Amino acid sequence: MGPNSIRLRMFFVIAFPVVVIVTLKFRNSSFELFEGFSEVKVEGGTAQNVTAELLTGGPNVTTHGFELGGTVQDITHDSLGGKEGNNNRVSSGAKDLQGRSQNDTATEGRTKNITAADGGLKTASLTSSTNDPTPHAVNLDDKLLGGLLTSGFDEASCKSRIQSHLYRKASPHKPCPYLISKLRSYEEIHRRCGPNNRAYDRSMRKIVHSKNNVVATMCKYVIWTPINGLGNQMLSLAATFLYAILNDRVLLVKFGKDKHGLFCEPFLNSTWLLPEKSPFWNEKHIETYQILLEKDRASNSTEDLPSVLFVNLQHSRGDPEKFFHCDHSQDLLRNIPLLILQSDQFFVPSLFMTPYFNLEITKMFPEKDTVFHHLGRYLFHPSNEAWELISWYYQAHLAKASERIGIQIRVFDPVSTPQKTVMDLVLSCTLKHKLLPEIGLPNPMSSTGKNQSVKSVLVASLYPKYGDSLRTMYLKKPTITGELIQVYQPSHEGKQKFNDNKHNMKAWMDMYLLSLSDVLVTTSLSTFGYVAQGLGNLKPWLLYRLIKNDTLFPSCKRDFSSEPCYHVPPKHYCNGKPMKDFVSSFPYLRECKDYCFGVKLVNDSM
């Protein structure tokens, strides 16, 4: 044996154990990332053992048996020919969902589907398979929404996070670098101070033991508590998240069983769920923000601030002024380590009105009318269970259409607004503005046959009669344009339900599907519609809000932005004087189109 052979054997003897040790260490590191919250238990069973989920590739939320073939597909699945809903459930391939443009009427999507041997629908992998010599090209910038989202998530735990961009038109509004940096900074704060680590435990112990006296803690928190319907909750949650970012607070959410299985976890390597063993789940004896203001006015002292404060921003027009938009109030709140915040409003405009926050928010959102568009897409990713419902319904009924029209009908008072009155309002709007074609004898120049254009109409309403009426209308007679109109209504609950998981799942499905529309019609003042328009960056046609059997009114008008309306903005300046003209004092605010007492954000150029 020559010298070279001896040296080779010695190298192998030394190198092989090193390789084995490094490999094992690398593999173990992936478990250590999540070791800190492998024991977490979430209200309603929403989160399982996270380490086990990542190993098995399972979702990070559990399912509750809400089946695709169940009540969510109640009515109007049939096409005009009665076949599309049953036989054409599989998309015809990449051409069906390829390259939806930013034009409002562009409609082709961008997923590639494959038909399984059993006739089912499978979504093709968005990344290359180890057995596939020709990797699928995926634009990472599109996948992460222009840097809005961070990489590193286990993709199997939340499929919508990596697939949603394939179903939605690319947004013309890119998040600015400063917003991206603020989100990455927040994620690091949340990872360090979120539940199931030492900083969280230490901070919470100090807060609990000195609840009535302010104390310095390593981390500060804002706990969001839900109120009213899912639309209100999602708007207020997005606003609370922005407030948390501005104040370097960790956002924790009180999700009961009614939120079970709706959303993915939005923050990498952590959870936003308030642990169910937290003493602040049902704590009642907590000082309120309103009492704090009264004490401050009486003593003008910060010496007796509490460590926990309940901030109720659930506004009504008769409430006393809260002065939440004032620097002095924010100075007080900044010293309190834990805030429990409740709101049913998108109160972001009041943060813009606060001098202390204004400059920072303006740097984060140079386009002021994109706040919910960015924060909503960052926070609200449908869980795997919800995404299965949404993606299946879209593929089966909406993917092939040349145009998708979403119509959201909210009836605030069914007794005083008969069905025919509401339906007349919807038809007056959609026909007058040529969102839908009129019925009658087809124009000789219109396209029919193989080149016939198909429009899919998605109706979201608590009542089945509206989807049925519209579908029947287009079944009985052809359109004068020769277009084929297919009408679908995923659900009809009959009435709004609160603290109901299945109801919320259907509502979330409807809102998300509406956000995938090319054209959107919503009901004035409806937060349900606000969520859909914000996620989809859609300027909706706002249906007139019928109070009674009115007749003299415009059926609808086009909104000027996709931002939600803040229904009850402050009524006074910080010096106590009445606020009469928002625009002169705050040029980035405008009166809402659908509610004269509300305001919404606009760009300076408007």
Side-chain angles (χ1 to χ4, degrees):
M1 182 179 295
N4 290 336
S5 298
I6 294 173
R7 283 196 296 267
L8 182 61
R9 289 184 61 187
M10 291 178 65
F11 173 80
F12 181 81
V13 169
I14 296 171
F16 180 76
V18 172
V19 171
V20 172
I21 291 170
V22 170
T23 303
L24 290 174
K25 185 173 182 61
F26 173 78
R27 290 181 60 189
N28 289 337
S29 67
S30 64
F31 300 112
E32 291 166 2
L33 285 172
F34 302 95
E35 188 176 39
F37 62 104
S38 61
E39 297 296 324
V40 65
K41 181 181 179 184
V42 180
E43 173 65 17
T46 302
Q48 300 290 317
N49 182 303
V50 180
T51 304
E53 292 291 352
L54 292 173
L55 284 172
T56 60
N60 61 351
V61 290
T62 59
T63 61
H64 53 63
F66 188 47
E67 297 177 350
L68 283 171
T71 56
V72 82
Q73 312 296 342
D74 286 330
I75 70 166
T76 62
H77 282 186
D78 304 328
S79 68
L80 291 177
K83 298 179 180 179
E84 192 274 340
N86 296 318
N87 300 331
N88 295 336
R89 290 167 60 176
V90 180
S91 171
S92 61
K95 65 179 181 180
D96 289 335
L97 289 172
Q98 182 63 39
R100 296 183 67 190
S101 71
Q102 295 176 13
N103 185 290
D104 281 345
T105 58
T107 55
E108 293 181 332
R110 292 162 56 190
T111 58
K112 181 177 180 180
N113 300 298
I114 54 176
T115 306
D118 60 359
L121 178 66
K122 293 185 178 180
T123 304
S125 173
L126 300 181
T127 56
S128 60
S129 167
T130 54
N131 299 321
D132 187 355
T134 56
H136 300 292
V138 177
N139 188 322
L140 186 61
D141 189 63
D142 287 344
K143 185 176 174 181
L144 299 179
L145 306 183
L148 190 69
L149 308 181
T150 187
S151 60
F153 278 90
D154 174 65
E155 294 186 352
S157 70
C158 185
K159 296 176 183 177
S160 66
R161 190 190 306 276
I162 61 168
Q163 294 179 9
S164 61
H165 74 284
L166 301 171
Y167 290 75
R168 193 184 300 287
K169 291 179 292 186
S171 173
H173 305 290
K174 303 299 181 184
C176 74
Y178 191 71
L179 172 60
I180 293 172
S181 70
K182 292 292 288 186
L183 290 171
R184 298 297 88 85
S185 297
Y186 173 82
E187 290 159 3
E188 176 58 27
I189 294 173
H190 198 104
R191 184 198 62 78
R192 187 175 67 249
C193 292
N196 307 295
N197 62 54
R198 293 179 181 176
Y200 174 86
D201 293 339
R202 290 175 180 174
S203 297
M204 283 297 179
R205 274 197 297 268
K206 292 184 74 173
I207 292 170
V208 170
H209 293 153
S210 58
K211 187 173 64 176
N212 296 320
N213 295 287
V214 71
V215 63
T217 57
M218 296 175 62
C219 308
K220 293 183 178 181
Y221 300 89
V222 55
I223 298 174
W224 173 87
T225 56
I227 193 73
N228 288 335
L230 186 62
N232 293 84
Q233 293 177 24
M234 292 175 71
L235 295 178
S236 69
L237 180 49
T240 305
F241 177 52
L242 178 57
Y243 185 72
I245 294 175
L246 294 170
N247 290 279
D248 292 329
R249 292 181 180 272
V250 171
L251 171 68
L252 299 175
V253 297
K254 282 186 180 181
F255 276 2
K257 293 181 179 179
D258 63 317
K259 306 293 185 311
H260 168 209
L262 295 188
F263 308 113
C264 297
E265 289 276 357
F267 308 126
L268 182 65
N269 297 341
S270 189
T271 180
W272 64 343
L273 298 165
L274 179 69
E276 64 177 6
K277 293 182 180 180
S278 168
F280 301 110
W281 253 100
N282 298 302
E283 179 61 54
K284 300 183 184 302
H285 304 292
I286 295 176
E287 186 170 322
T288 67
Y289 171 64
Q290 209 64 41
I291 291 176
L292 178 70
L293 290 183
E294 293 172 3
K295 286 168 56 178
D296 176 65
R297 282 193 290 267
S299 65
N300 197 26
S301 172
T302 60
E303 294 181 359
D304 57 347
L305 291 176
S307 287
V308 185
L309 189 74
F310 177 67
V311 182
N312 182 10
L313 299 182
Q314 184 187 1
H315 286 285
S316 68
R317 290 185 61 195
D319 282 349
E321 183 60 73
K322 299 181 185 294
F323 294 104
F324 189 74
H325 61 294
C326 300
D327 273 354
H328 180 68
S329 299
Q330 293 303 326
D331 286 339
L332 293 174
L333 296 176
R334 203 169 294 118
N335 294 309
I336 299 173
L338 193 151
L339 302 178
I340 299 175
L341 193 149
Q342 185 174 71
S343 175
D344 56 359
Q345 291 289 315
F346 185 68
F347 57 86
V348 168
S350 70
L351 301 180
F352 268 95
M353 296 166 68
T354 308
Y356 185 83
F357 297 141
N358 181 272
L359 181 60
E360 187 75 355
I361 306 180
T362 300
K363 289 168 62 180
M364 293 168 64
F365 300 97
E367 297 177 292
K368 295 181 179 66
D369 58 353
T370 61
V371 177
F372 185 78
H373 179 57
H374 288 318
L375 296 185
R377 291 182 304 148
Y378 176 88
L379 281 179
F380 303 122
H381 302 282
S383 68
N384 284 352
E385 179 184 4
W387 186 243
E388 185 179 9
L389 295 170
I390 292 165
S391 59
W392 180 89
Y393 200 92
Y394 182 90
Q395 298 276 7
H397 304 300
L398 306 175
K400 291 186 177 182
S402 58
E403 187 174 36
R404 282 161 283 275
I405 301 164
I407 302 178
Q408 183 253 342
I409 303 172
R410 172 69 188 272
V411 182
F412 291 94
D413 188 352
V415 176
S416 63
T417 49
Q419 173 195 347
K420 185 178 184 308
T421 304
V422 176
M423 202 65 215
D424 288 345
L425 179 76
V426 173
L427 290 176
S428 174
C429 172
T430 54
L431 298 179
K432 177 182 178 181
H433 296 287
K434 302 187 183 306
L435 309 180
L436 290 176
E438 296 185 24
I439 56 175
L441 294 176
N443 187 315
M445 300 299 292
S446 62
S447 62
T448 56
K450 293 183 178 180
N451 297 323
Q452 189 174 29
S453 176
V454 177
K455 287 187 176 182
S456 288
V457 181
L458 183 84
V459 177
S461 176
L462 291 171
Y463 309 103
K465 51 195 175 186
Y466 298 111
D468 284 341
S469 296
L470 193 60
R471 182 170 62 127
T472 300
M473 177 181 124
Y474 283 109
L475 273 171
K476 287 184 176 180
K477 293 183 180 180
T479 62
I480 61 173
T481 60
E483 295 170 302
L484 189 63
I485 306 300
Q486 299 174 340
V487 177
Y488 305 102
Q489 183 170 348
S491 66
H492 51 82
E493 291 287 272
K495 63 178 181 179
Q496 186 172 7
K497 303 173 185 176
F498 298 95
N499 302 314
D500 185 299
N501 180 260
K502 287 189 176 181
H503 181 84
N504 282 340
M505 181 68 78
K506 294 177 185 180
W508 181 212
M509 176 184 176
D510 281 359
M511 281 189 277
Y512 202 95
L513 286 171
L514 285 173
S515 77
L516 302 178
S517 302
D518 301 300
V519 178
L520 184 62
V521 179
T522 64
T523 301
S524 293
L525 278 84
S526 173
T527 55
F528 192 105
Y530 292 167
V531 172
Q533 70 193 45
L535 292 177
N537 184 43
L538 298 164
K539 297 178 182 178
W541 291 90
L542 297 163
L543 292 171
Y544 178 82
R545 183 186 178 187
L546 293 169
I547 305 300
K548 49 187 176 181
N549 201 3
D550 302 336
T551 55
L552 300 175
F553 51 81
S555 56
C556 64
K557 47 192 173 183
R558 189 79 183 272
D559 209 341
F560 50 80
S561 83
S562 65
E563 275 292 279
C565 177
Y566 181 25
H567 291 158
V568 279
K571 299 182 284 290
H572 296 83
Y573 293 103
C574 296
N575 60 11
K577 293 182 179 179
M579 193 179 297
K580 296 181 179 179
D581 183 8
F582 280 99
V583 176
S584 62
S585 301
F586 309 101
Y588 40 82
L589 294 179
R590 293 287 185 278
E591 178 184 298
C592 299
K593 283 264 190 179
D594 58 337
Y595 189 57
C596 63
F597 297 105
V599 295
K600 65 191 301 182
L601 292 163
V602 296
N603 285 325
D604 296 333
S605 57
M606 288 191 64

